[in-house]
Amino acid sequence: MNPDTFRQKIDVAITATIRPEVLDLTLFSFYKHFLHQFQETRLIVNVDPLGMEEHQAADVVDVCRRYSPQVVSRCPARASFASAVKWCWEHVESTAFLHLEDDWLLKKPIRLEAVVTRLAASDDVASVRFNLARNPASDPPVSSGLSLNPSVFRRAFIDQALPLFSCEKDPEKQFRNFTPLAHWKFFYHGAPREPACVIDIGKKWRRLHGFQKWQPGSPVVSWQKQASPASARKLFYRLKYRFFMFYWRHIVV
């Protein structure tokens, strides 16, 4: 995989919900620290119908259009994280692509050449993952399996995974230790024990708005709405969310 060829164009597969402010911060950070190295980016976004009542799915698609003139979008009637991942992957065209959920912040620059070098180390490297926690000590740092944390995937991997994909199961869990794909390897970006380079910025939003991720064995692989917090606690969550959104944006700048 040649860095000069790779940098010509990359697809970005985005699973999103109706929270345009969060997605805007995610894209702002990834364009500043990684995606600006590509001549063209094409955003593939699935917007599930849950989130902020004062916004619509079209507002999320509009955020994407501020970052790229090439946007492929889907706004389904029913929320399903597994279906969102599958649909986004089905529309990938570039040789390698960035898988990105809508609530991650990239807090430091990622050199394209370093990602390409790790991805191209052998034909059985499926992805290079941007670490949420400190890297393991192995050299190069090995991931235990498929993760949908922000990762650059080789399209050849999803070409094999898609025919086996079940929308009734969690995408990460169904492909961990999955024999037909066992030859694929997954690595972290960076050096052994390197500190985290991404931040999960979605948890505080979910707590404020009363959403919880599905539990293992749940028949619906999508967020579930919980009882709204009491007014005093909701005010606390709102202030905390606003503070961190301000802080996160300024650490990127």
Side-chain angles (χ1 to χ4, degrees):
M1 187 175 294
N2 187 306
D4 291 332
T5 302
F6 183 35
R7 77 171 67 249
Q8 291 177 7
K9 187 173 183 178
I10 188 172
D11 285 341
V12 184
I14 305 170
T15 56
T17 53
I18 303 176
R19 43 181 182 173
E21 180 183 45
V22 176
L23 175 61
D24 182 61
L25 180 54
T26 295
L27 290 177
F28 177 72
S29 69
F30 273 83
Y31 270 90
K32 180 176 179 64
H33 289 320
F34 181 61
L35 292 173
H36 70 279
Q37 298 170 91
F38 295 88
Q39 295 175 20
E40 294 182 49
T41 56
R42 176 172 169 264
L43 305 186
I44 305 165
V45 58
N46 182 99
V47 188
D48 273 351
L50 51 82
M52 303 178 71
E53 295 180 356
E54 63 269 34
H55 289 285
Q56 299 177 339
D59 298 327
V60 178
V61 177
D62 286 343
V63 169
C64 292
R65 290 193 176 116
R66 294 206 296 266
Y67 287 90
S68 172
Q70 301 181 62
V71 177
V72 180
S73 63
R74 173 183 182 243
C75 304
R78 174 179 172 269
S80 168
F81 178 71
S83 294
V85 172
K86 185 173 186 288
W87 180 85
C88 286
W89 285 8
E90 287 172 338
H91 287 78
V92 168
E93 296 176 353
S94 54
T95 303
F97 70 99
L98 174 65
H99 179 90
L100 184 62
E101 294 171 19
D102 65 346
D103 56 358
W104 290 99
L105 181 135
L106 184 57
K107 63 180 183 178
K108 62 184 181 181
I110 302 290
R111 290 180 56 251
L112 174 60
E113 289 76 12
V115 173
V116 171
T117 297
R118 185 145 296 169
L119 197 63
S122 68
D123 290 340
D124 57 2
V125 177
S127 71
V128 177
R129 173 179 170 185
F130 299 163
N131 50 328
L132 174 61
R134 186 177 295 275
N135 277 347
S138 58
D139 189 10
V142 179
S143 173
S144 59
L146 172 70
S147 170
L148 295 185
N149 288 177
S151 303
V152 176
F153 279 92
R154 189 191 296 270
R155 194 182 71 199
F157 167 75
I158 65 166
D159 286 345
Q160 291 189 14
L162 278 171
L164 310 171
F165 198 115
S166 170
C167 291
E168 306 304 317
K169 300 177 182 178
D170 182 295
E172 291 179 320
K173 294 180 175 60
Q174 67 180 283
F175 290 130
R176 280 183 180 268
N177 304 315
F178 189 54
T179 302
L181 301 175
H183 62 287
W184 289 102
K185 298 184 176 102
F186 305 87
F187 290 101
Y188 288 95
H189 166 76
R193 299 189 182 281
E194 183 170 323
C197 59
V198 296
I199 299 172
D200 179 351
I201 62 174
K203 289 182 179 179
K204 290 177 175 57
W205 184 95
R206 292 198 301 271
R207 182 170 290 179
L208 169 63
H209 292 279
F211 284 100
Q212 184 177 12
K213 190 174 181 180
W214 60 95
Q215 300 302 310
S218 171
V220 180
V221 187
S222 187
W223 291 357
Q224 298 172 10
K225 182 71 172 171
Q226 305 297 301
S228 296
S231 56
R233 182 168 292 274
K234 188 167 185 176
L235 176 60
F236 170 73
Y237 289 157
R238 185 178 302 281
L239 292 172
K240 193 172 183 180
Y241 168 73
R242 297 307 328 164
F243 168 79
F244 274 95
M245 288 295 285
F246 176 84
Y247 169 71
W248 286 325
R249 182 168 289 275
H250 281 76
I251 65 173
V252 174
V253 175

